Amino acid sequence: MADDEQKAKIVHRDNDDLSTSEHSAHVVGDPWKEMNLEQQEREQKERELKRTAKKNDLLGIVGQQQSLSTNEDETTLVVPIKNLVTFAGRGRDIKERRQSAFGFAHFSMEQSTQQQITEFENDYGIDALLSLLQSDDAVCRRYSALALGNIVSNEKFCGKCVEYGVLEAMLPLAIDDATDLETRRYCMLAVANMAAQAATHGTIVQSLDGVVVLLDSLDEELQKCATLCVQNLSTNAEIVMSLEECIQPLVNLLSIKKTTTTTASTQHVPL
């Protein structure tokens, strides 16, 4: 496993250089302020379009200037993402890095901005998220894990994330008891989604012991994500026989007895 990890070693570049030579003339602002301004601008455009449409309708004018709004949206979000990448630099203040993690999580919900993150110049978007994921700060880890989890759930971008080493970065956090629970949930869900890609199966099987433990986790969300991961792995005929150790924990899940008392207590069956 050590050899494979060495081969799949993630190389992170410092994102601080984005704020120097090439971008020296650009003053990086607060990404949240820029996001709010963009939202206000979009809402203002929508109001203007609605007023114009209503006026045209009253005047009997049909089909004029109804498509002013959409073509600009994809480009207006580039600047905030560029700022978020810069804010994620390892040398930045922790508050700025947290803002970056929040911003990435916010933008990761839409396909258009998922694309901008994954296709950002020189792969700095993914690199910035991995840098935040490996931060000592729990907030940075949690929201970067959420952002990456959202991105890899989209088949269009999952493959690139896998190639860049996102799986190797998230799997250890998912199975590490020292990681905070929310981050573990986001990471394990991301691993389960990446397990839909056959290219990830070899790496996941190497850490199968950790996944097996999560099948018997007391946390229901981790349990579900681990089960989904094993389900995706089991579709691969080449490795299905190596999943034998997953059988007993899955049987245990079927054996969990739920009571019907007012406290709705659940008896957990350990390994």
Side-chain angles (χ1 to χ4, degrees):
M1 178 176 178
D3 291 338
D4 291 334
E5 288 177 345
Q6 187 64 26
K7 292 178 183 177
K9 184 178 179 182
I10 303 164
V11 179
H12 294 300
R13 296 177 293 274
D14 233 335
N15 298 308
D16 295 298
D17 60 347
L18 291 181
S19 61
T20 56
S21 59
E22 184 180 351
H23 301 275
S24 57
H26 178 68
V27 179
V28 179
D30 187 333
W32 285 105
K33 289 182 180 179
E34 297 203 28
M35 283 187 276
N36 290 334
L37 287 174
E38 287 179 355
Q39 181 65 25
Q40 292 173 9
E41 290 176 2
R42 286 195 294 272
E43 291 175 353
Q44 179 64 26
K45 287 179 182 178
E46 289 175 1
R47 287 194 293 269
E48 290 176 358
L49 284 172
K50 287 179 181 179
R51 284 197 294 267
T52 301
K54 187 174 182 179
K55 180 179 178 181
N56 289 345
D57 185 53
L58 291 173
L59 295 175
I61 302 174
V62 180
Q64 291 189 11
Q65 298 189 7
Q66 295 297 311
S67 59
L68 297 177
S69 63
T70 58
N71 292 335
E72 298 177 9
D73 285 351
E74 291 186 359
T75 57
T76 55
L77 295 177
V78 172
V79 173
I81 291 179
K82 183 183 296 183
N83 289 351
L84 294 175
V85 169
T86 304
F87 270 53
R90 293 180 180 85
R92 308 294 296 207
D93 179 79
I94 189 60
K95 291 182 179 179
E96 293 176 333
R97 301 198 80 196
R98 286 180 175 180
Q99 281 184 317
S100 176
F102 281 135
F104 274 122
H106 171 80
F107 282 122
S108 68
M109 293 183 289
E110 301 293 336
Q111 179 171 312
S112 62
T113 45
Q114 289 173 354
Q115 181 174 357
Q116 290 183 30
I117 292 170
T118 55
E119 296 181 359
F120 193 83
E121 57 183 296
N122 300 320
D123 293 323
Y124 277 125
I126 300 176
D127 190 70
L129 282 167
L130 289 175
S131 173
L132 293 168
L133 188 67
Q134 294 185 338
S135 169
D136 293 332
D137 182 70
V139 174
C140 289
R141 289 197 305 269
R142 185 179 307 132
Y143 286 96
S144 59
L146 173 58
L148 286 167
N150 284 337
I151 292 171
V152 300
S153 68
N154 190 319
E155 292 183 2
K156 291 184 177 180
F157 312 121
C158 182
K160 182 172 183 178
C161 290
V162 170
E163 291 175 5
Y164 202 78
V166 171
L167 174 64
E168 288 84 350
M170 302 192 84
L171 184 54
L173 291 175
I175 63 180
D176 185 2
D177 289 335
T179 306
D180 71 275
L181 182 58
E182 284 301 314
T183 301
R184 293 184 72 192
R185 287 172 173 172
Y186 294 145
C187 286
M188 194 60 228
L189 179 58
V191 169
N193 282 325
M194 285 185 279
Q197 303 276 329
T200 67
H201 292 177
T203 300
I204 297 174
V205 168
Q206 290 173 11
S207 299
L208 190 60
D209 289 347
V211 177
V212 170
V213 171
L214 295 184
L215 286 173
D216 200 54
S217 172
L218 291 171
D219 182 74
E220 187 175 353
E221 293 303 315
L222 284 175
Q223 211 176 69
K224 289 178 180 178
C225 293
T227 304
L228 175 60
C229 181
V230 172
Q231 177 183 334
N232 284 333
L233 292 175
S234 67
T235 62
N236 188 335
E238 295 181 2
I239 66 167
V240 69
M241 297 305 296
S242 64
L243 304 179
E244 184 178 356
E245 60 182 302
C246 300
I247 296 176
Q248 186 57 54
L250 291 173
V251 171
N252 287 346
L253 289 179
L254 297 175
S255 302
I256 293 177
K257 298 177 181 179
K258 295 184 178 180
T259 64
T260 57
T261 61
T262 55
T263 58
S265 60
T266 300
Q267 180 180 351
H268 183 261
V269 181
L271 282 172

